[in-house]
């Protein structure tokens, strides 16, 4: 906002005269300074990690009672599922999802209008300004745990795993992008759809490949949470051409739907004086 | 500061109006509970077949036990402190008391609707809910939740955000309190270990109590004792924090 306020009769275009790269660099600096001031965020990060590790250990106990496997899931695959989900979630949400949402609720249309300054897209602006630095620490630790599981259990990685992880990132990113779009279109009334989407997405760390029949289809193709962590983890050491193809189709379809929603949301926002 | 009954009712009324202002949000909560019920029942039935206990368990967990708003209550209080407005407009109530009363107003509507929906869902699937036990555990859990929020909001005067610790508490409660899967699936040694933490009693034990009608007095005492401990610790931090806040011109 400090780059865009018009100065007395000068048009907004003329008031914005900083080179793009310098502007981006300044936004990143603001974001980093913001979180470096609050070092307790790093303590929270370690707290969450401790809780999630406890949960992984609980799965270990659960699987131990069931002969080491449940519907084809062994402990290493479950552990990879948990850590992979958290890794993807952390990296995607590092780009300011939470603060983008906060920016949009509560009738802050004026701020969004101000953010609509070229050449930076408002979501990119928010991402750079509110970059969540402690997320990097979490991401590194989750990556470390995943690599440890690979070595400890002598897992031979398959190509399918890497391709499906890319799909998982894209689907998480789509979700992160959709929710602010809904707020742009519907303001606080978007809370309902947000609850719905988050209810599914924030529980993507479950072994959904155990679902067969109609529900298996629903959670693979209609609400593709199975592709957000479960299927990549399940295919960590197996070649899964079926999932690569179907996952690719799902990703393309949802990218197209997101684009349509984006067009609709901005048009609706502008139509009501945004 | 003194407690005025009229002011307290006013605070609750504000919460009720806030909740009713966005009916779609209430619908969203119903949808969320239903989605969680669906997801967890399906997945666990797929993993551990021939177990009919998952559906009743998760009905109780996601409609009666998991509170609709407690995760963010502490963070909202932190935001109020950060914005600095609370001192002037909550009198004669203390800022925290006003905040909790307003949240209770929201709770009456949102949690109340969830409980009614849960009873309907339970009746539809033929699940027996012991209503008297449900009322008893609701009161006990309300005391526990208020103590939790009081404790979690105590760093508000010192930090920019208490979101992290609130979410950490919630995640711990979800995982270790049997709200992710019934803890009787775990080995008994692990269950014994978990019984030392309050979340075991606020989650798994309460869920079982609603289904069986048997509320263990030990768990009630443990939760009330834990609540008292959180309130005592929270009081000390709130007091120090308020001094810090006022010294900064708040």
């Amino acid at each position: 906002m400090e780059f865009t306020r018009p100065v007395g009769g000068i048009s907004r275009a003329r008031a914005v005269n900083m080179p793009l790269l310098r502007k981006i660099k300044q936004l990143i600096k603001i974001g980093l300074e913001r979180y470096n001031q609050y070092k307790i965020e790093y303590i929270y990060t370690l707290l969450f990690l401790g809780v999630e590790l406890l949960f992984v250990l609980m799965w270990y106990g659960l699987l131990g009672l069931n002969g080491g496997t449940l519907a084809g899931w062994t402990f290493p695959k479950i552990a990879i599922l948990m850590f992979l989900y958290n890794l993807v979630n952390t990296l995607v949400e590092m780009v300011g999802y939470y603060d983008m949402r906060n920016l949009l609720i509560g009738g802050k249309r004026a701020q969004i209008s101000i953010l609509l300054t070229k050449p930076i897209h408002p979501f990119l602006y928010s991402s750079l300004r509110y970059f969540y630095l402690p997320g990097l620490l979490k991401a590194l630790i989750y990556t470390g745990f995943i690599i440890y599981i690979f070595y400890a259990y002598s897992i031979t990685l398959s190509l399918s795993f890497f391709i499906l992880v890319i799909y998982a990132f894209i689907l998480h990113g789509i979700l992160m992008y959709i929710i602010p779009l809904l707020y742009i279109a519907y303001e606080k009334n978007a809370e309902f759809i947000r609850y719905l989407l988050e209810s599914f997405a924030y529980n993507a760390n479950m072994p959904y490949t155990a679902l067969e029949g109609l529900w298996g289809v629903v959670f693979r193709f209609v609400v593709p949470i199975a592709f957000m962590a479960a299927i990549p983890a399940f295919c960590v050491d197996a070649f899964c051409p079926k999932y690569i193809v179907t996952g690719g189709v799902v990703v393309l379809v949802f990218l197209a739907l997101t684009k349509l929603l984006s067009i609709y949301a901005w048009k609706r926002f502008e139509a009501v004086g945004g | 500061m003194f407690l005025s009954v009229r002011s307290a009712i006013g605070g609750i009324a504000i919460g009720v109006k806030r909740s009713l202002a966005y009916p779609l949000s209430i619908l969203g909560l119903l949808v969320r509970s239903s989605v969680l019920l669906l997801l967890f029942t399906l997945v666990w039935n797929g993993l551990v077949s021939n177990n009919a206990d998952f559906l009743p368990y998760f009905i109780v967990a996601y409609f009666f036990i998991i509170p609709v708003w407690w995760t963010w209550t502490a963070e909202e209080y932190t935001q109020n402190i950060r914005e600095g407005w609370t001192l002037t407009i909550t009198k004669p109530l203390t800022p925290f008391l006003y905040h909790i009363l307003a949240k209770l107003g929201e709770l009456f509507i949102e949690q109340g609707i969830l409980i009614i929906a849960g009873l309907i869902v339970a009746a539809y699937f033929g699940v027996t809910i012991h209503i008297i036990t449900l009322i008893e555990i609701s009161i006990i859990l309300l005391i526990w939740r208020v103590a939790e929020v009081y404790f979690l909001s105590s760093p508000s005067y010192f930090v920019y955000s208490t979101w992290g610790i609130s979410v950490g508490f919630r995640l711990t409660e979800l995982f270790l309190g049997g709200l992710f899967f019934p803890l009787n699936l775990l080995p008994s040694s692990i269950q014994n270990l978990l019984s030392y933490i309050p979340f075991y009693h606020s989650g798994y034990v309460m869920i079982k109590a609603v289904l069986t009608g048997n509320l263990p007095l030990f768990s009630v005492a443990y939760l009330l004792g834990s609540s008292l401990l959180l309130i005592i610790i929270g009081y000390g931090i709130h007091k120090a924090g308020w001094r810090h806040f006022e010294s900064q011109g708040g």
Side-chain angles (χ1 to χ4, degrees):
Chain A
M1 280 173 273
E2 53 268 42
F3 307 122
T4 65
R5 190 188 303 147
V7 179
I10 300 172
S11 73
R12 195 161 60 180
R14 288 183 65 185
V16 177
N17 56 12
M18 288 175 75
L20 171 61
L21 283 178
R22 196 147 52 103
K23 195 186 286 190
I24 290 175
K25 193 174 147 188
Q26 192 138 0
L27 287 171
I28 292 175
K29 197 176 156 200
I30 291 170
L32 291 176
E33 277 172 2
R34 180 188 169 99
Y35 280 98
N36 269 330
Q37 286 169 13
Y38 303 103
K39 295 193 169 45
I40 199 159
E41 291 284 344
Y42 294 94
I43 297 175
Y44 290 162
T45 298
L46 293 173
L47 174 70
F48 294 154
L49 279 169
V51 170
E52 279 147 14
L53 272 177
L54 273 173
F55 188 52
V56 171
L57 288 175
M58 286 176 74
W59 271 106
Y60 187 77
L62 182 63
L63 284 161
L65 264 188
N66 289 278
T69 181
L70 278 174
W73 285 87
T74 55
F75 174 69
K77 285 190 177 180
I78 285 280
I80 289 171
L81 165 64
M82 297 289 144
F83 294 134
L84 178 65
Y85 166 80
N86 284 310
L87 172 65
V88 174
N89 205 36
T90 298
L91 286 174
V92 170
E93 289 206 351
M94 254 168 57
V95 293
Y97 154 71
Y98 177 72
D99 290 286
M100 188 67 208
R101 192 184 74 206
N102 271 351
L103 198 65
L104 292 169
I105 62 174
K108 293 188 179 169
R109 285 179 169 271
Q111 289 193 22
I112 270 294
S113 297
I114 291 167
L115 286 178
L116 281 170
T117 53
K118 293 180 179 181
I120 296 180
H121 189 279
F123 286 9
L124 178 61
Y125 175 98
S126 180
S127 300
L128 293 172
R129 190 184 170 100
Y130 298 103
F131 184 75
Y132 187 63
L133 186 62
L136 267 180
L137 175 65
K138 266 174 99 171
L140 281 171
I141 294 176
Y142 286 131
T143 307
F145 280 136
I146 292 172
I147 293 171
Y148 170 75
I149 298 283
F150 291 158
Y151 278 108
Y153 290 90
S154 304
I155 294 174
T156 310
L157 291 176
S158 72
L159 179 63
S160 305
F161 175 70
F162 292 105
I163 295 172
L164 292 166
V165 165
I166 291 171
Y167 292 165
F169 270 104
I170 295 172
L171 287 170
H172 271 270
I174 285 173
L175 179 77
M176 189 207 74
Y177 195 64
I178 281 177
I179 291 177
L181 284 178
L182 291 170
Y183 277 102
I184 287 169
Y186 300 111
E187 290 196 0
K188 194 116 185 356
N189 291 322
E191 295 272 282
F192 166 69
I193 308 175
R194 175 176 71 87
Y195 281 132
L196 184 63
L197 291 176
E198 285 183 349
S199 301
F200 284 113
Y202 285 168
N203 293 290
N205 58 344
M206 291 286 277
Y208 288 104
T209 52
L211 296 180
E212 298 294 334
L214 173 67
W215 292 113
V217 170
V218 167
F219 292 121
R220 284 170 176 78
F221 301 110
V222 179
V223 185
I225 49 174
F227 282 103
M228 289 172 88
I231 288 176
F234 197 71
C235 295
V236 66
D237 58 358
F239 182 53
C240 303
K242 181 179 76 173
Y243 286 135
I244 292 174
V245 171
T246 52
V249 170
V250 166
V251 162
L252 286 172
V253 167
F254 275 85
L255 280 172
L257 288 173
T258 306
K259 180 67 184 170
L260 288 172
L261 177 63
S262 174
I263 295 168
Y264 167 76
W266 286 114
K267 273 205 171 132
R268 195 170 194 279
F269 178 77
E270 286 162 6
V272 289
Chain B
M1 303 270 186
F2 62 92
L3 176 62
S4 154
V5 173
R6 206 165 156 185
S7 304
I9 293 172
I12 293 173
I14 286 172
V16 169
K17 283 183 201 167
R18 247 183 351 210
S19 192
L20 293 175
Y22 295 100
L24 278 182
S25 292
I26 299 173
L27 187 58
L29 293 171
L30 284 172
V31 166
R32 181 168 64 187
S33 293
S34 306
V35 166
L36 292 175
L37 172 66
L38 174 73
L39 287 180
F40 282 79
T41 306
L42 284 175
V43 170
W44 283 106
N45 276 332
L47 287 172
V48 184
S49 52
N50 301 322
N51 190 327
D53 290 341
F54 289 122
L55 179 63
Y57 188 88
F58 289 125
I59 287 175
V60 175
Y62 291 111
F63 284 90
F64 304 139
I65 300 294
I66 292 184
V68 300
W69 45 268
W70 288 108
T71 305
W72 308 114
T73 303
E75 174 60 15
E76 285 170 13
Y77 183 71
T78 313
Q79 285 176 5
N80 291 344
I81 292 292
R82 205 161 64 226
E83 286 164 17
W85 61 266
T86 55
L87 264 184
T88 51
I89 76 170
T90 67
K91 289 180 180 178
L93 301 171
T94 65
F96 183 80
L97 190 57
Y98 165 78
H99 185 66
I100 276 294
L101 287 170
K103 276 299 177 183
L104 279 176
E106 291 181 32
L107 180 75
F108 287 145
I109 303 297
E110 293 171 358
Q111 192 74 55
I113 289 175
L114 261 189
I115 287 178
I116 293 168
L119 290 171
I120 294 171
V121 171
Y124 178 80
F125 286 105
V127 173
T128 305
I129 302 293
H130 291 84
I131 304 291
I132 305 292
T133 315
L134 177 61
I135 294 170
E136 288 168 351
I137 64 137
S138 296
I139 295 168
I140 295 163
L141 286 178
L142 183 63
I143 296 170
W144 165 244
R145 302 281 181 227
V146 171
E148 252 186 355
V149 169
Y150 188 64
F151 172 73
L152 291 174
S153 62
S154 59
S156 299
Y157 314 92
F158 305 101
V159 296
Y160 182 80
S161 169
T162 53
W163 166 86
I165 197 168
S166 295
V167 171
F169 237 73
R170 176 179 166 236
L171 282 177
T172 312
E173 184 163 17
L174 276 177
F175 294 154
L176 303 186
L179 297 169
F180 207 68
F181 62 83
L183 296 182
N184 59 343
L185 293 178
L186 294 172
S188 53
S189 54
I190 297 181
Q191 286 186 57
N192 285 337
L193 206 59
L194 289 175
S195 68
Y196 286 102
I197 57 171
F199 304 127
Y200 175 86
H201 301 278
S202 69
Y204 178 69
V205 171
M206 292 296 145
I207 294 170
K208 284 296 189 185
V210 172
L211 292 171
T212 60
N214 175 26
L215 179 60
L217 283 179
F218 175 75
S219 292
V220 173
Y222 196 100
L223 272 181
L224 292 177
S226 303
S227 303
L228 186 61
L229 185 63
L230 288 181
I231 288 171
I232 291 170
I233 298 171
Y235 177 75
I237 304 174
H238 269 280
K239 205 165 169 198
W242 200 251
R243 271 201 301 270
H244 172 81
F245 181 70
E246 285 178 331
S247 70
Q248 310 240 314

